[in-house]
Amino acid sequence: MTLRADLAALLAQAGIIDVDLDAAVADEHVRSAVYQRVIPVIAASVSRGDDREVAAAILRDPESLTAKTAVVALVDEIAEKTADPAAFRRWADEVLPEEELRQAGVDHEFIRRRIRDWEFALSVKDGRVPDPAELAEVTDWMQRELAASSSSLPLLGLLAESGRTRKIRNIAESRARSLRPRTS
């Protein structure tokens, strides 16, 4: 498919009609904005059946950074709507096969790290507390996300103690303090 056809199909699937297709084809910044509008609409769909075609169309974008950014946004949107780490892993393996990522010329290692981060985050969402070695394998970005959003006092304690950076440790400690019951 051509870039124009890919963009037209994505816009049609998302029901977005107010985009200048010529401008999007000509300018990666406009395309990036298109992807950022399309992805939340597609991720909100109950059906995940078209996700592979969506990802493939994005990966065909001639600008690898634009494609990577959009694929990461898709990963983030789907992960935030998923509760089961195993289901998320199956989705990622099906929609973003390693070979297709490599062939697309995008930073496939970055995307794989983001997927691993989300698997980790989903695995601790139900209260499981990882060991420090598991936490050490998660990127600074995910450690900050967890420190800022988790309501698990044991996880926040681990992040406050073993977070990779001072900022992560401080955010986790502050969040834990705000969640602890106040005693008189």
Side-chain angles (χ1 to χ4, degrees):
M1 292 186 93
T2 66
L3 181 58
R4 173 180 286 286
D6 283 341
L7 289 170
L10 290 172
L11 288 164
Q13 185 175 353
I16 298 172
I17 59 172
D18 63 343
V19 171
D20 180 345
L21 200 52
D22 291 329
V25 169
D27 186 340
E28 71 267 16
H29 298 98
V30 176
R31 279 197 310 281
S32 184
V34 166
Y35 295 141
Q36 297 309 313
R37 288 182 63 195
V38 165
I39 288 167
V41 174
I42 290 171
S45 172
V46 176
S47 169
R48 303 274 44 101
D50 294 333
D51 289 354
R52 182 154 185 182
E53 290 86 32
V54 168
I58 293 168
L59 288 169
R60 285 190 293 269
D61 192 288
E63 294 294 326
S64 64
L65 183 58
T66 301
K68 179 187 91 170
T69 302
V71 168
V72 167
L74 179 63
V75 167
D76 291 349
E77 288 278 343
I78 298 299
E80 289 172 2
K81 293 172 180 18
T82 304
D84 177 16
F88 177 71
R89 167 48 77 187
R90 283 190 301 276
W91 174 86
D93 288 345
E94 204 173 283
V95 172
L96 300 165
E98 183 72 27
E99 189 57 33
E100 284 183 25
L101 290 174
R102 285 179 190 207
Q103 288 175 354
V106 298
D107 185 351
H108 64 278
E109 279 304 314
F110 183 90
I111 295 168
R112 287 291 164 218
R113 278 193 310 275
R114 183 60 68 102
I115 291 167
R116 285 191 300 272
D117 276 355
W118 278 113
E119 280 183 277
F120 176 86
L122 292 169
S123 77
V124 299
K125 204 172 193 176
D126 64 358
R128 181 183 79 80
V129 181
D131 62 47
E134 283 179 285
L135 182 63
E137 293 185 17
V138 178
T139 64
D140 292 0
W141 174 81
M142 183 51 79
Q143 286 189 12
R144 275 191 312 277
E145 290 290 310
L146 291 169
S149 66
S150 179
S151 57
S152 166
L153 288 174
L155 177 58
L156 291 169
L158 177 62
L159 284 161
E161 183 179 304
S162 302
R164 191 171 293 113
T165 67
R166 180 179 299 155
K167 181 176 182 174
I168 292 165
R169 294 188 300 272
N170 288 341
I171 292 169
E173 178 56 39
S174 176
R175 179 129 173 96
R177 231 184 349 265
S178 74
L179 293 173
R180 287 188 195 108
R182 301 194 190 273
T183 56
S184 308

